[in-house]
């Protein structure tokens, strides 16, 4: 992993939000190999929202917890409800990337205990939401984009605040902390295309501290 902050462009998107273009490019093949292993143990699935809708994003997790949703609500669960087993462990290359990105963005104390793995196909979207199921909002979230590019929607503290559209490409990493931690955000419907390593897919890793 290239830990040299000055080797890559770092852009402040907002207070506490740093975009590290290409930060994960070197490790992307290893990350994708690890994602395949995770999906063998805990397959991608389309969760049901508390309102009864099937999410268009397919998800799995690794680490001590996993984020899950069903008719009873959202939660972090130490067991995969599909397999009834613990989630696969966080691969060392995942943890190393997340900690070094957080450090490069000014969060030296990031201690991630879960990585949510999202899989997008053309047409898949993520409606505007806040991430507020975690126990400690002083811990940032680190996101890694792999595969097809996506348009990230960056909103405000209210659901109907004006949004910015930010393109995210293979290898981009964003660290979301401080006042940015609770902003509304989402992903516009994925455009069709083909990525040399992933085909018509986008994989997003989000590293969090659940508890
Ligand atoms: C800003 N995932 O899993 S990553 C999510 O591309 C999620 O799959 C999107 O939103 C994706 O919850 C966006 C960027 C991201 C993740 C979490 C955030 C941005 C965030 C939490 C707070 C603020
Ligand atoms: Fe989110």
């Amino acid at each position: 992993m290239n830990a040299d902050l000055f080797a890559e462009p770092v852009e402040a998107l907002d207070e506490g939000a740093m975009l590290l273009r290409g930060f994960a490019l070197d490790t992307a093949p290893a990350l994708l190999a690890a994602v395949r292993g995770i999906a063998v143990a805990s397959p991608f699935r389309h969760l049901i929202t508390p309102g009864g809708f099937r999410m268009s994003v397919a998800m799995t997790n690794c680490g001590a917890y996993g984020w899950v949703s069903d008719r009873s609500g959202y939660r972090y669960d130490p067991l995969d409800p599909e397999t009834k087993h613990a989630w696969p462990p966080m691969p060392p290359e995942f943890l190393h990337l997340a900690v070094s990105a957080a450090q490069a963005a000014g969060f030296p104390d990031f201690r991630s205990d879960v990585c949510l793995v999202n899989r997008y196909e053309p047409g898949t979207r993520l409606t505007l939401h806040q991430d507020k199921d975690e126990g400690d909002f002083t811990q940032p979230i680190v996101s890694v984009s792999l595969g097809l590019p996506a348009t990230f929607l960056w909103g405000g503290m209210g659901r109907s605040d004006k949004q910015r559209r930010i393109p995210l490409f293979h290898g981009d990493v964003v660290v979301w902390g401080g006042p940015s931690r609770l902003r509304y955000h989402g992903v516009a419907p994925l455009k069709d295309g083909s990525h040399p390593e992933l085909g018509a897919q986008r994989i997003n890793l989000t590293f969090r501290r659940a508890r």
Side-chain angles (χ1 to χ4, degrees):
M1 183 63 240
N2 191 344
D4 181 3
L5 177 60
F6 302 103
E8 294 129 349
V10 179
E11 182 191 341
L13 290 177
D14 212 329
E15 221 185 312
M18 302 289 272
L19 170 55
L20 286 69
R21 287 269 184 224
F23 191 88
L25 271 179
D26 294 353
T27 25
L31 298 176
L32 288 172
V35 167
R36 286 180 203 107
I38 289 164
V40 170
S42 276
F44 283 102
R45 80 291 306 265
H46 294 272
L47 296 170
I48 305 298
T49 66
F53 296 100
R54 173 188 186 267
M55 294 184 71
S56 75
V57 181
M59 295 177 167
T60 185
N61 294 273
C62 63
Y65 302 98
W67 185 86
V68 292
S69 173
D70 59 23
R71 289 306 299 244
S72 70
Y74 310 118
R75 66 183 179 280
Y76 282 98
D77 199 318
L79 296 183
D80 177 345
E82 291 288 319
T83 65
K84 316 270 196 284
H85 290 93
W87 298 96
M90 183 104 63
E93 57 271 40
F94 272 37
L95 205 53
H96 181 255
L97 177 76
V99 168
S100 51
Q103 176 146 10
F107 296 92
D109 304 317
F110 184 43
R111 287 168 59 243
S112 176
D113 56 8
V114 49
C115 175
L116 173 56
V117 185
N118 290 334
R119 187 186 68 197
Y120 295 74
E121 286 165 348
T124 300
R125 62 196 296 251
L126 194 59
T127 53
L128 219 58
H129 66 279
Q130 290 172 297
D131 288 20
K132 52 182 184 184
D133 300 322
E134 298 76 27
D136 178 1
F137 298 138
T138 70
Q139 289 272 306
I141 289 183
V142 174
S143 80
V144 181
S145 292
L146 300 166
L148 285 182
T151 299
F152 180 72
L153 306 174
W154 187 224
M157 292 305 295
R159 185 179 290 279
S160 52
D161 293 0
K162 192 178 183 315
Q163 296 159 33
R164 277 171 67 190
R165 298 168 70 88
I166 297 161
L168 293 179
F169 301 97
H170 180 74
D172 288 351
V173 176
V174 193
V175 181
W176 315 86
S180 290
R181 176 64 183 76
L182 288 172
R183 279 187 184 258
Y184 277 91
H185 60 277
V187 179
L190 198 77
K191 290 206 178 91
D192 203 358
S194 181
H195 185 271
E197 283 159 76
L198 271 169
Q201 282 183 72
R202 171 178 186 254
I203 299 281
N204 181 266
L205 311 176
T206 53
F207 294 90
R208 301 126 187 272
R209 177 87 194 167
R211 305 207 178 153

